[in-house]
Amino acid sequence: MTFNPHSLGGFLLTLLGISLLGHAQAASIAEWEGCSSIPADVDRLSCYDRVSGRAQPEAAPAAPVEARAGMPPEVRPVAAKPEPPDPGLLSTLSRHWELDDEAKQGAFLFRPHRPNYFLPLKYSNRPNNTPFQDTLIHPDLGLDSIETELQLSFKIKGMEGVFGYNDVDLWFGYSITSFWQAYNDSISSPFRETNYEPEAMLVLRTHYEIGGFRGRFINLGFAHQSNGRSEGLSRSWNRVYAQFGFERDNLALLIRPWYRIPENDEDDDNPDIEDYMGHGDLLAVYRKGRNAYSLLLRNNFKTSDNRGALKLNWSFPLYGRLKGYVQYFNGYGESLIDYNHSQQSFGVGVSLTEGM
């Protein structure tokens, strides 16, 4: 047999190729099996592509961990909706009567109605002893010029959007004002007078201007006020009223004419109360920063026997939400027992919440 070196070389090359091919096939099988054991779908598919020699796509930059944890990869963030107006920027009337949509707080929530305050020191230049002369054991004893006064007042929205109208709300209010002879030990420091006033109010939002003022609401209300006494010390009356609310910058004006509901002569404890308490009132409230100033005026609009009253209030910051409170009164009707008695009084204390 003749030896051919060329045939031998070809034979060796063939064996080498078969050996390399077998090794490649063995490696590929191992790699395929390795890829199949990867649990994550994305990583497993990437392994298959690498083993098969398929070109790898350029990897997109990975999103931060915080972003990926908060949203799915395909979801793009939606532009945030504009924030509603800050309630602190709403006007005084709007916050008090919820006249703007942003001020609405729903029904059955306690809110301040009139100012809530406590005056530990209050001086009167003419204490009204007349109603109590028959009740005092010692006629020579009487009321002190210095006493304390406390007022608590709240309101609740009973229905928002009455009769299907978003601009009409039904409110209920309650106020209690007590005058306490706290320093009068000679007559056992009694509460000389307490006035109770429940109210029902239908508030209509309005949108008009007059004289540079915005007309914000009309309040149609019913009020009962009494002192809970009997016989000679009893005082009470019922009224229906229409209150018009206006505002201009930091000034709010509330004009309220009323009509007294007539009573039987036998049941009327104070038939001439309108001669002293008048037929309406005007309230002006001005706010500057955290200070609030108010002026209340009443008058019977008579040329002869003209009577009325004036009340000035000033509240100012003390500590946190607690405010100082100063009150001055001059005229008739500081309380129901004093409806026909004129006096001047001055008190200092603290205010818990503001009101109208």
Side-chain angles (χ1 to χ4, degrees):
M1 183 176 187
T2 305
F3 178 76
N4 188 343
H6 296 284
S7 299
L8 179 60
F11 178 73
L12 292 175
L13 291 174
T14 301
L15 290 177
L16 179 60
I18 293 173
S19 175
L20 292 174
L21 179 60
H23 179 72
Q25 289 177 344
S28 298
I29 292 172
E31 290 179 348
W32 284 106
E33 291 177 351
C35 291
S36 65
S37 63
I38 298 175
D41 294 340
V42 175
D43 296 337
R44 186 171 60 254
L45 292 175
S46 178
C47 179
Y48 285 146
D49 290 340
R50 178 177 53 80
V51 172
S52 64
R54 181 177 298 175
Q56 297 293 319
E58 293 184 2
V65 176
E66 295 82 356
R68 287 189 282 113
M71 65 179 67
E74 296 80 10
V75 177
R76 296 182 180 180
V78 180
K81 295 182 179 180
E83 293 287 339
D86 184 356
L89 300 178
L90 298 172
S91 69
T92 300
L93 288 183
S94 178
R95 285 184 281 109
H96 190 73
W97 291 107
E98 301 183 9
L99 302 177
D100 294 294
D101 292 339
E102 297 80 13
K104 297 286 188 181
Q105 299 185 55
F108 307 114
L109 179 67
F110 281 85
R111 304 160 176 84
H113 183 27
R114 295 193 175 93
N116 290 269
Y117 60 83
F118 174 60
L119 306 178
L121 292 174
K122 183 175 180 182
Y123 170 80
S124 171
N125 70 328
R126 293 181 65 228
N128 185 16
N129 288 291
T130 303
F132 304 98
Q133 288 177 348
D134 297 333
T135 63
L136 294 174
I137 298 176
H138 301 286
D140 57 329
L141 299 179
L143 302 177
D144 279 351
S145 296
I146 297 179
E147 62 181 6
T148 70
E149 181 180 339
L150 170 69
Q151 178 167 287
L152 298 175
S153 180
F154 66 88
K155 64 181 183 294
I156 299 174
K157 184 186 293 185
M159 186 180 298
E160 191 170 275
V162 179
F163 309 128
Y165 294 98
N166 190 46
D167 288 342
V168 183
D169 297 330
L170 177 64
W171 294 82
F172 298 98
Y174 186 76
S175 301
I176 178 171
T177 309
S178 294
F179 303 84
W180 180 21
Q181 288 275 298
Y183 312 107
N184 195 343
D185 296 334
S186 61
I187 58 173
S188 301
S189 304
F191 280 86
R192 69 170 181 88
E193 174 76 347
T194 297
N195 295 161
Y196 310 90
E197 186 172 7
E199 295 178 77
M201 300 155 284
L202 198 64
V203 180
L204 297 79
R205 288 196 288 180
T206 58
H207 310 276
Y208 65 93
E209 290 193 12
I210 180 171
F213 283 84
R214 297 175 61 198
R216 297 305 311 274
F217 73 91
I218 298 176
N219 178 359
L220 304 177
F222 167 82
H224 166 79
Q225 189 179 30
S226 65
N227 64 355
R229 300 288 188 93
S230 59
E231 299 179 356
L233 295 178
S234 177
R235 304 287 186 271
S236 66
W237 62 332
N238 298 312
R239 293 168 292 167
V240 291
Y241 62 82
Q243 187 178 53
F244 302 85
F246 303 90
E247 66 182 4
R248 179 177 181 179
D249 298 327
N250 294 330
L251 177 63
L253 291 178
L254 289 88
I255 302 172
R256 182 175 66 158
W258 60 60
Y259 170 75
R260 185 192 180 191
I261 300 176
E263 300 182 28
N264 295 329
D265 293 339
E266 297 178 356
D267 299 329
D268 198 343
D269 302 317
N270 32 247
D272 58 345
I273 191 171
E274 287 180 294
D275 295 336
Y276 298 89
M277 300 289 282
H279 303 277
D281 58 20
L282 182 147
L283 175 64
V285 180
Y286 178 77
R287 282 178 168 80
K288 184 176 182 180
R290 297 184 61 193
N291 289 264
Y293 311 87
S294 69
L295 167 66
L296 176 68
L297 296 174
R298 288 199 308 263
N299 197 271
N300 61 6
F301 303 113
K302 291 184 177 181
T303 54
S304 60
D305 295 329
N306 184 270
R307 302 183 182 99
L310 175 151
K311 180 187 285 188
L312 294 170
N313 293 326
W314 170 37
S315 68
F316 52 91
L318 278 183
Y319 178 78
R321 295 183 178 180
L322 187 65
K323 294 189 174 185
Y325 199 73
V326 178
Q327 182 185 97
Y328 171 76
F329 179 87
N330 187 344
Y332 292 88
E334 186 175 26
S335 67
L336 278 180
I337 201 70
D338 301 323
Y339 81 91
N340 57 356
H341 178 78
S342 179
Q343 62 184 317
Q344 294 186 63
S345 65
F346 179 82
V348 293
V350 293
S351 171
L352 305 177
T353 60
E354 297 179 355
M356 284 290 180

